[in-house]
Amino acid sequence: MSEKIGFIGLGNMGHPMAKNLEKAGFPLFVYNRSAEKAEDFKAQSKVAVDVKELVKNSDVIFTMLTNDQAANEVYKQILELNISDKLFIDMSTISPETSGKIADAVKIKEASFLDAPVAGSTKPAAEGTLIIMVGGDEKDLERARPYLEKLGKQIKHLGKNGKGLAAKLSVNYFISALYQGLAETILFSDTLGIEREDMLDIINESASGSGATKVKTPLLIEENYQPAFSLDLMLKDILLAKDAGADFPFTKTLIETYKSAQNEGFGKDDVIGIIQYLSKM
Ligand code: NAP
């Protein structure tokens, strides 16, 4: 018999991910702090009134939350319950240190914990083609695998608790540099009189193109920075990388640029909206 699945955090990522678990037919209980984001689960799944109701009624619980503070707040409530034998899978991007403390606290209560952050934004989340980077025990991953397979196209086990996040912080460090580089390149080619559509066509068809450049192409052409992954979240990840030891020539520059863009009011825009800040420099 299938285990009962819980999903906490129905934001830009969590909502489509939970929908994929629902579509796969798993018995699903969801919870979101702002109740309206759970509305369209009512037809097929159950919606919990709070974190505790969800956890009491689930065997395997996913969390997809903004940051360390959100994870600490949610797991504080979870740790007040009897959680023995339950499996928690945190897919948020938080610090390996915070995640490690949560993992230890969960394990003391005879439950299991995986950090399983993801690469890929809202489109792969909706398509179930995320890359999932896992830290934790092999047996817990095997228990999680049937559910993770509905969320991602690649499940990479990197070692003990915290290693999934270590890989995630590394990949996002690269992406933050890539987006700043892409934005600067587009501004440069703008000044040389090259149409954005032409420049992005060239980038995307050449060796410099990637899924990341392709996904941001329509935003740059339409100059519409509705967030799939907000600039605020990217700055959070660069700062987490710095705290985890990233100390390279790019590190200082990236922090300065993304922080200044946030201070100028671009934090809620998509990360490629960094171009709006750079264009004013
Ligand atoms: P989001 O849209 O801002 O959603 C964040 C979720 O966390 C919402 O459900 C929010 O609830 C909940 N939350 C925040 N603080 C809370 C608290 N104190 N208690 C309970 N719930 C709380 O963010 P997202 O884009 O889905 O990202 C989620 C995580 O995935 C982040 O760590 C992000 O870095 C990572 N990530 C994002 C992307 C992407 O492309 N967006 C890609 C890979 C990884 P409310 O609705 O009530 O605010």
Side-chain angles (χ1 to χ4, degrees):
M1 216 179 77
S2 182
E3 295 186 288
K4 288 179 281 170
I5 309 299
F7 203 108
I8 302 173
L10 305 170
N12 288 334
M13 294 295 285
H15 190 283
M17 292 163 74
K19 275 285 162 195
N20 282 334
L21 295 170
E22 184 178 71
K23 270 184 236 152
F26 299 119
L28 183 68
F29 225 112
V30 298
Y31 169 74
N32 196 68
R33 182 180 58 177
S34 325
E36 68 277 5
K37 292 185 192 163
E39 274 302 312
D40 59 347
F41 284 88
K42 283 185 175 160
Q44 244 183 288
S45 301
K46 290 185 181 141
V47 177
V49 293
D50 56 24
V51 167
K52 288 187 174 174
E53 188 194 13
L54 180 137
V55 173
K56 281 180 195 160
N57 288 287
S58 308
D59 306 307
V60 176
I61 296 107
F62 287 86
T63 46
M64 189 51 159
L65 302 160
T66 318
N67 53 20
D68 285 36
Q69 189 196 340
N72 277 326
E73 281 178 33
V74 167
Y75 277 94
K76 182 171 179 288
Q77 296 171 64
I78 291 172
L79 289 162
E80 286 165 7
L81 301 170
N82 172 4
I83 54 169
S84 63
D85 298 330
K86 295 183 192 284
L87 169 62
F88 294 86
I89 306 171
D90 183 35
M91 305 192 82
S92 327
T93 308
I94 60 172
S95 76
E97 196 189 344
T98 296
S99 180
K101 284 184 185 155
I102 293 172
D104 290 346
V106 163
K107 287 174 170 179
I108 285 171
K109 299 204 75 169
E110 293 172 358
S112 304
F113 183 89
L114 295 171
D115 51 290
V118 300
S121 193
T122 49
K123 192 163 175 275
E127 290 167 351
T129 55
L130 293 164
I131 312 290
I132 305 175
M133 294 157 273
V134 183
D137 294 347
E138 183 70 45
K139 69 168 183 6
D140 297 329
L141 173 55
E142 287 319 307
R143 182 172 170 195
R145 197 177 285 281
Y147 317 116
L148 294 179
E149 280 173 347
K150 300 296 175 197
L151 304 178
K153 64 177 177 187
Q154 191 185 19
I155 301 165
K156 198 116 186 123
H157 189 204
L158 294 140
K160 62 183 183 166
N161 282 129
K163 291 289 185 197
L165 280 163
K168 170 63 184 170
L169 295 188
S170 307
V171 77
N172 266 31
Y173 184 83
F174 173 55
I175 295 280
S176 67
L178 190 149
Y179 284 144
Q180 185 172 334
L182 178 64
E184 290 182 10
T185 302
I186 294 303
L187 288 174
F188 177 49
S189 63
D190 281 352
T191 63
L192 298 180
I194 306 296
E195 292 293 329
R196 279 195 185 182
E197 213 161 341
D198 291 333
M199 193 65 234
L200 285 156
D201 248 359
I202 293 164
I203 290 172
N204 288 331
E205 290 306 317
S206 73
S208 55
S210 68
T213 61
K214 286 178 188 152
V215 84
K216 299 306 180 196
T217 290
L219 287 78
L220 288 164
I221 291 174
E222 290 156 24
E223 299 188 61
N224 172 357
Y225 303 108
Q226 182 81 10
F229 180 53
S230 71
L231 194 149
D232 279 343
L233 289 180
M234 183 58 95
L235 174 60
K236 161 188 69 89
D237 294 352
I238 304 166
L239 293 171
L240 288 176
K242 178 176 169 277
D243 287 347
D247 183 16
F248 302 100
F250 268 157
T251 318
K252 199 163 161 272
T253 306
L254 291 168
I255 291 171
E256 263 173 33
T257 314
Y258 281 87
K259 226 179 212 168
S260 305
Q262 186 186 59
N263 290 340
E264 293 287 317
F266 299 114
K268 302 282 175 255
D269 288 341
D270 191 82
V271 56
I272 199 62
I274 190 87
I275 197 169
Q276 302 168 98
Y277 165 72
L278 291 167
S279 71
K280 289 173 186 252
M281 287 180 80

